[in-house]
């Protein structure tokens, strides 16, 4: 299970209720808040190009490291190379973490994606890691 504490801006991976990894996170802000609730790992990419927003909030980010998507609208746990300002909301809804942490989550979350997969969708009926955002 993964728990995200939006007030504290902390993400924690748990195995059998015990924390195995904790990191500061930069979650969504303003109109781009990270959606609260219980989510599941839906799909993963080793890397992705993320494009969105408009006007002053537009972004075009190639090579985003290890996105693990938890909503069909594109919210993911992923690495960043454009900032290291974790611990406060600043994303467009995603959960930004340092790239080595994103890689760790990508490898650790269920279902496990093969290393040669360019895209890996959680198979229907497969167990998937739960992500609780509160």
């Amino acid at each position: 299970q993964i728990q995200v504490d939006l007030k504290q801006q902390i993400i924690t991976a748990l195995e059998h209720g015990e924390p195995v990894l904790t990191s500061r996170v930069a979650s969504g802000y303003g109109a781009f808040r990270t959606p609260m609730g219980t989510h599941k790992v839906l799909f993963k990419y080793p890397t992705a190009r993320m494009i969105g927003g408009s006007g002053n909030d537009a972004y075009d980010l190639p090579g985003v490291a290890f996105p693990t998507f938890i909503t069909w609208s594109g919210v993911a746990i992923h690495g960043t190379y454009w900032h290291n300002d974790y611990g406060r909301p600043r994303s467009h809804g995603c959960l930004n973490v340092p790239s080595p942490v994103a890689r760790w989550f990508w490898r650790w979350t269920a279902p496990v994606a093969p290393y040669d997969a360019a895209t890996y969708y959680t198979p229907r009926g497969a167990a998937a890691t739960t992500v609780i955002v509160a």
Side-chain angles (χ1 to χ4, degrees), residues 51-71:
I51 302 169
S54 62
N56 289 337
D57 282 322
Y59 58 93
D60 183 352
L61 301 166
V64 176
F66 297 100
T68 299
F69 290 88
I70 62 170
T71 73

Side-chain angles (χ1 to χ4, degrees), residues 13-126:
L14 302 160
E15 286 184 7
H16 310 291
E18 296 295 322
V20 293
L21 179 107
T22 298
S23 176
R24 292 186 307 151
V25 67
S27 67
Y29 73 99
F32 306 105
R33 293 176 196 258
T34 303
M36 295 175 71
T38 301
H39 309 280
K40 294 272 188 187
V41 171
L42 299 173
F43 59 101
K44 309 175 192 188
Y45 300 141
T47 185
R49 181 176 186 178
M50 294 188 169
I51 302 169
S54 62
N56 289 337
D57 282 322
Y59 58 93
D60 183 352
L61 301 166
V64 176
F66 297 100
T68 299
F69 290 88
I70 62 170
T71 73
W72 291 112
S73 63
V75 174
I77 301 165
H78 65 72
T80 59
Y81 56 81
W82 56 94
H83 78 80
N84 63 357
D85 190 17
Y86 309 104
R88 72 178 186 95
R90 65 163 288 150
S91 80
H92 281 85
C94 286
L95 298 163
N96 296 177
V97 295
S99 292
V101 173
R103 181 179 63 188
W104 189 93
F105 276 113
W106 192 87
R107 289 180 173 165
W108 179 79
T109 53
V112 174
Y115 282 105
D116 60 351
T119 302
Y120 186 74
Y121 288 89
T122 300
R124 187 176 304 246

